[in-house]
Every structure is written in structure tokens, then in C-alpha cells.
Amino acid sequence: MFLLLLAAWAQVATVNGIDIPDEAWTLAAARGVGPLTDEGRLELVQALVAEELLYQEAVRLGYDRDPKVDKVLVNTLLRQEVYSTVRNSDFDDDALLAWYEAHRSEFNVPAKRQVKTITLLVDEDLTEKAAKARLERLREDLNAGELEWKDTATAWSEDIYARRGGDVGFVTVEGKEGVDPVVIAQAFQLPLETISEPVRTDTGWALVLVANERPELERSFEQVKGSVLRRMKNEAFATRYDEYVAGLAKRADVQVDNEWARENGLPDYAKAVRKLGNIAEVDGVVVGLTAAKDTPPLEQLELAIANELLLAEAHRQGLGSDPKVKKVITNTYLREFVYDRVRNEDFTDDELRAYYDANKDQFTVPDKVQLNMLTVMFGEQRTREEARVLAEGYLAEVPTRPFKGLATEVSEDTYARRGGDVGWVSAQGKPGLHPRVVETALDQRDGDFTLVELDDRFVVVVTQGHREGVERTFDQMRGSVLRKVKNERIAVLYDAQIEALAADAEVAVHSEHVMALEEPTRKQRPAVTKPLPGAAGPAQQPMTE
């Protein structure tokens, strides 16, 4: 433990003068299961301190300017300043319908034709003349009914569709990747079930057959309403993006090399300067062309300038401290200093086998039980005895009605929405599941059901089935063994990295303040308003959280 424990404070910890706020601890605690012990509270703080140490070191080494981090920064800014300004509610049905009417054809399913081919390649073994003549003879025999298309294509065709009897599948007039455009054009000129004359392709000669067709299908507004909304939102995003970038450009000094500008054009918000030495600069920062090579040079430059403008604004707004951005920065640093320093080839088969032998139980599939459960809570709004009577009533219903429907209707745990189905569980249990519930289910025979009393609830436990454990061999588990050994090595390197950083840092944990923090509440399913079995009068009042 590298933490210095102090008295009460306003934050959970401080690392090199940077506070870790209560909110960070609360968010971390909310992801856990069950009540926190004093030790657990401090372990959460320790993890937050480790993250802050790594983040500060990553920034010191310049990982906050890594291209991946830049991308996350820009996207965080755009989500805040652009995407969040466009909402579904901005577009009413009249606007959506008008847009649909103006772009109706874009939503139609285009006409398609089922194309089949027989292709002969022209090479040193088969001349142009011989290939064309062979296809003409095959066409005659096919039209005469002496040959079947599928068998002929399989035997003679030399393209990738030969093994499918020459069937290219259904294609639109725009074609299909890997299919010669000449073949597509011929297919949309032919009458149905007609074999073409031999046509010249890039690689040889081909016969084309149209076996079937599907007409263009017009889709109604109701069918494509969601697509219309997405298209309109994307157009609004694009407009808002352009306006936002233009606003940033007005406040920036954007310069483009004069000679480059003469050859390729100049963005509206840039000025051409002589002898710049680079293609462009934004507030003194050199901008290079990084877009796809087939993108026009001026468009590449505009994209690069826009990205630099957005990145500078993101830094100006302090978005580098956004939790998602900080995580990317930290992980980029860890990848170089921890993760990439542990390689598969670092571990011999002898090491892996020794680890497997020492931890064989970890690689054995344990005995499992298929568990269903139904929960009745008690507390402020329902007494223990009331809950017992209610639970015993549900227990009596188990043999006479489907358990899934009963649990969905009345259970007060997170498995209610799944009809009480917890799934297959081993003796190790699963997060949020009380060990006594698992033990009871494992001890019962298939089909048995029991009522279990816990500190704040009664649980009807139903055992649906059992699976015996299976021991798996080293060869079966070699990949899993390797991952475990690597993860252990990575954990050692990670801890060493944290210890080294902490040794040179000023770290303080405000322990009394941490102990006084209120645990975040976790949502519970409210109690059902169902009368006690055999009781008269109004239904019970639901529990309040």
C-alpha cells in the first residue's frame, strides 16, 4: 500500500496536487456488488489513485497528443458541441414526410436479376478465336437442350462461380464486386431465360444467362421512417459541423503555402503566404495531408485543418480531463510500458505446462446447477412475517403454474424480467447471488424447490437441472493457460509501474472522509401489490426505495 492516510478532507484523495473528487469514488462504488467494507472503500481509492498516477505520467510523456487520443478528443468535442444539438424531436412527421417525398426513389429496393455465367479465360493455352468458338458451340447445345447449364458451367467455366454452376446471384444494374461490368450490362439487356452470344470481358469470353428477376420495390413512408430520420439528422449534423468549424476558423490564423494554393485551391477561411515551408499551418501548428489518397488535395487539406481546429478547441475547453479521454491516454501509455512488454514467445511450453499442473482446478469445468428463483423482500414497508406468508403462498403455487410467469409477475429481484432464470451456476456463484441460494440449488435434486430465508428477503429456489464437471487437458487449455500467465505477468509489471510512479509522487488519501461517504444506492425492483394469501382487505402497499 503506497497511500498516505490523512484525516477528514473534502476529496477522497490528492495526487501531486490534483484532487480526486467524491464523484469519482461514487461512480466506482456504484459498479460494485454488495456493501463495501472499510478495506473495500480504501481499495477503491487506491485504484483511483493508480489511474491518476498513470494519467499524469502519460501526459508528461506526451501521450495526450497520440493520434488515437486526438481522435477521441475531437469526437468528445463534437458530441458536446455538434451532435448533442440535433435531437429526434427537432423533426416532426410533416418534415419527415416531405423529405421522404423529395427522395422517394432513394428508398426503393432496386430491380435485380439473377445472373449466371460460363467464362473461358484467354491465355497461352486458349486463343481468342478458340475461346469464342467453344462458347458458341456450348450455346448451341444449351439452346437445343442437349446440355444442362449447371453441369456445363461446373465442367467448363473458369471463374470463381464455376463451383456454383455459374450462378453469380441476384445483382443490381450497378453490378457486383468481381463481376465484369460487361457481363452486368449484357444481363440487363437480355430477355429472361435467354443465353447471350459470347461477350468479351477483361479476361476472356463469357456466356450470360438471366435465370430470374425481381422488380423494383417501392417502400412506403411508414416502412422507412426510421431511415428518413437518420438521413435528416445526418444532414443536420453535417450543416452544424460546417458552421462550427467555420466559427473556429474565424478566430484562428490559417495559412496555406502560396504555390500549393495555386495548384490545388485555397479554403475560404485560409490565406496564402509565400515560402511557408509547409503545406499549411493553423495558429503556427503544421498541418499535413492525412486523408485517403484518392481524396482530392483541397478536400484533404480542409479535413486536416478542420481536425486541427477542433483539436485545439478541445484542449482549450479542457476536454483532456474527460474520463473517457483520460482512459484512452492512460491505456496508450500502458500499452507501450506494460502490455506490449509481455509477449507470447516469452513463455515456453514447459512453463505453461507447469502452471497448468499447479492450477489444474482453474481449468476444470465445475459442477453446475440450472437455477431459477423468486424473491420477496421485507423491511420498512413489509414485515418479515408478512413476507414469509407471501413467499410461502408463492411456494405453494410452484407445482401448479409455470414458474416463469409467476416469477415475472411477482419476483422482486433483477432476474424477474427473465422469468426468474438465473442460468447455469457453479459453487463459485455469481455477483449479486447469495451463496446460500447457490448451495441450496446444488444440494437439491432436479425439480425440487425450497424456501430460503436471508437477512432481508425470502427466496424460492428451484433446481431445474445439474451438469457434472469436466476436467480439460493441457492441450485443450493451452490458449487459456497462456492468457492467464500473461495476465499475471502484466499485473506484476503494472504494480511495479504504479509503485515507481508513487515513489516520486505526493499522494494523500483522506481516510476519514472516505469512511464517511454514503454508498451509492442500487435500484431494486419494487414490491408487488398482491394480497397476502388468505387475507382479506386491500392489497399490500408497495415498498419504496
Side-chain angles (χ1 to χ4, degrees), residues 416-482:
R417 62 178 180 271
R418 296 168 49 182
D421 184 10
V422 180
W424 290 93
V425 184
S426 70
Q428 295 177 339
K430 59 169 52 179
L433 197 60
H434 199 285
R436 280 186 55 201
V437 171
V438 178
E439 291 169 7
T440 301
L442 284 166
D443 290 342
Q444 292 183 149
R445 294 174 301 179
D446 294 357
D448 284 355
F449 48 93
T450 303
L451 185 63
V452 175
E453 181 178 352
L454 303 176
D455 292 337
D456 60 351
R457 68 194 70 191
F458 288 94
V459 182
V460 177
V461 179
V462 181
T463 299
Q464 298 286 7
H466 288 84
R467 285 181 187 165
E468 291 186 7
V470 179
E471 184 174 302
R472 291 178 290 188
T473 66
F474 170 74
D475 290 335
Q476 288 176 309
M477 301 306 300
R478 188 183 185 283
S480 296
V481 173
L482 177 59

Side-chain angles (χ1 to χ4, degrees), residues 165-380:
D167 188 3
V168 176
F170 281 89
V171 298
T172 67
V173 71
E174 294 181 355
K176 180 177 182 178
E177 186 176 356
V179 180
D180 196 298
V182 173
V183 170
I184 301 298
Q186 186 69 35
F188 277 85
Q189 294 171 11
L190 284 172
L192 196 62
E193 298 181 350
T194 301
I195 302 174
S196 73
E197 297 281 350
V199 294
R200 186 65 169 90
T201 68
D202 285 342
T203 58
W205 289 85
L207 294 179
V208 181
L209 167 67
V210 179
N212 205 344
E213 64 181 350
R214 295 173 183 164
E216 183 178 30
L217 178 64
E218 184 175 297
R219 292 188 290 181
S220 69
F221 171 67
E222 292 302 328
Q223 288 176 306
V224 299
K225 184 177 178 181
S227 297
V228 172
L229 176 59
R230 285 190 292 274
R231 294 277 294 273
M232 290 191 71
K233 284 182 68 177
N234 287 338
E235 287 187 359
F237 287 147
T239 300
R240 182 73 183 91
Y241 173 91
D242 290 341
E243 293 172 349
Y244 186 68
V245 170
L248 295 177
K250 287 181 181 179
R251 303 196 297 267
D253 179 21
V254 182
Q255 300 182 354
V256 177
D257 180 76
N258 195 40
E259 184 176 340
W260 192 95
R262 281 200 305 270
E263 294 177 1
N264 299 283
L266 187 68
D268 293 339
Y269 43 74
K271 58 184 178 182
V273 295
R274 295 180 182 276
K275 298 180 181 179
L276 184 61
N278 306 293
I279 292 177
E281 291 182 359
V282 176
D283 288 335
V285 178
V286 176
V287 175
L289 305 186
T290 58
K293 292 182 180 179
D294 56 353
T295 305
L298 180 57
E299 188 175 336
Q300 288 191 51
L301 180 61
E302 289 175 332
L303 288 170
I305 290 174
N307 189 71
E308 183 55 41
L309 288 167
L310 291 166
L311 188 59
E313 178 65 12
H315 281 291
R316 189 189 71 78
Q317 293 191 22
L319 295 182
S321 60
D322 180 271
K324 292 180 180 178
V325 178
K326 289 180 70 171
K327 187 173 182 180
V328 174
I329 294 171
T330 301
N331 284 342
T332 303
Y333 166 81
L334 285 172
R335 190 175 301 111
E336 179 172 341
F337 284 90
V338 176
Y339 306 145
D340 288 350
R341 297 193 178 189
V342 181
R343 299 164 299 174
N344 291 356
E345 53 267 30
D346 295 339
F347 307 95
T348 66
D349 266 7
D350 289 343
E351 288 179 281
L352 297 178
R353 188 176 292 278
Y355 184 93
Y356 167 80
D357 290 336
N359 301 276
K360 190 172 292 187
D361 59 318
Q362 295 182 24
F363 303 102
T364 297
V365 179
D367 293 342
K368 290 187 177 182
V369 62
Q370 187 177 14
L371 166 62
N372 286 7
M373 60 186 277
L374 182 159
T375 300
V376 179
M377 307 293 297
F378 55 82
E380 294 181 3

Side-chain angles (χ1 to χ4, degrees), residues 86-100:
V86 181
R87 300 176 299 273
N88 290 356
S89 56
D90 296 339
F91 308 93
D92 59 24
D93 276 1
D94 290 341
L96 295 175
L97 182 58
W99 200 95
Y100 165 77

